[in-house]
Amino acid sequence: MSAEALKPTDIEIFLFDLRGYLLVKDALSTKEVGACNAEIDATLPLNVGQWAGYVHGHQYGPADGLNLQQIYEAGPGFENLIDHPSWIDRVKFFVGGEGSFDFHHGPLFIDENFANLRGPGEAIGIHSGGHHTSKRNQFRFHNGHFMNGQVNVLVALTDIGPGDGGTMVIPGSHKSNYPPPEYDAHSIGLGGSADAVIGAEEIFMEAGDALIFVDTICHGSARRSVPGDRRVVVYRYGPSWGIFRFGYRPSPELLDRLTPSRKEIVWPHEVMEREPQK
């Protein structure tokens, strides 16, 4: 990393614990955003189920847009995001585990990374929440340390304002014991406006802004109602002992060209080779 990694400030720690998310303005430069968009353009067209090199076309549901999975395989613009100084030390702090039994081969592991392209009428409904018990996305604070199962970094690659289908969050819901009353109706990819679910807020972002949030928080998106595509990229970070959500693996070519610090995050899984017995 050429720039100094930014550690979380006291107010950021307070707000992340309280709300479950942080909005980091200008996390990427205009040049960095342009490089990522150029690499997406070079990957398209790509349909669900197709591959472009080691990038895979994927969908969670029929109306939530196209995911370009394993997007760090698309080129140096996305490789640069693996340990980007705008968020990497913040993420390490909020995932936690350093100095504990859970801290094994390195501080972090990216278990999923994708660019999402979402057009008019597309959305993803509100999902997750503290009432769930999945270890993958749990929020935990113990003995003065965060120990979270997954912290996401969502970076806007286009401006996202009213009508663009912004990310929605329910602040504080990472600690909730009950789902929102409308949860069932909005957890199946229907989307809508931020006021369609009690307590939800739509996050407007400029290209280059980053939203850091614990996956436990209730989150989704509003439905896009204007022409064009909403472009974001999501890197999901967790403890180094994690494994890939959908069974993807980094390519040998990627591992060969990554810096040691990036390779440690992409592939912290040491393979213990046994010497042949004599």
Side-chain angles (χ1 to χ4, degrees), residues 35 39 63 66 90 111-112 185 252:
E39 288 172 6
L66 173 68
R90 288 162 162 147
D111 77 343
E112 185 181 12

Side-chain angles (χ1 to χ4, degrees), residues 77-192:
F78 287 108
E79 291 176 26
N80 180 50
L81 306 190
I82 292 170
D83 60 350
H84 198 280
S86 288
W87 60 74
I88 194 64
D89 274 4
R90 288 162 162 147
V91 170
K92 286 179 183 177
F93 186 85
F94 294 129
V95 169
E98 188 166 5
S100 74
F101 179 76
D102 286 337
F103 189 79
H104 289 169
H105 305 303
L108 297 173
F109 168 63
I110 296 174
D111 77 343
E112 185 181 12
N113 66 106
F114 61 94
N116 174 262
L117 283 62
R118 190 168 290 159
E122 295 182 327
I124 189 166
I126 292 287
H127 57 282
S128 199
H131 59 286
H132 280 305
T133 57
S134 169
K135 289 185 178 181
R136 176 183 290 274
N137 73 346
Q138 69 176 345
F139 173 85
R140 191 175 183 217
F141 186 88
H142 186 67
N143 286 342
H145 297 281
F146 288 99
M147 299 186 73
N148 291 314
Q150 186 169 283
V151 173
N152 301 322
V153 178
L154 182 153
V155 185
L157 298 179
T158 55
D159 292 342
I160 301 173
D164 289 321
T167 298
M168 297 197 304
V169 296
I170 302 182
S173 58
H174 59 305
K175 298 181 179 181
S176 65
N177 295 307
Y178 298 92
E182 304 90 345
Y183 186 90
D184 289 341
H186 288 269
S187 62
I188 55 175
L190 296 178

Side-chain angles (χ1 to χ4, degrees), residues 37-46 51-53 55-56 68 71 74-75 78:
N37 277 315
E39 288 172 6
I40 288 176
D41 292 339
T43 303
L44 298 175
L46 190 68
W51 292 85
V55 177
H56 187 230
L68 305 179
I71 194 62
F78 287 108

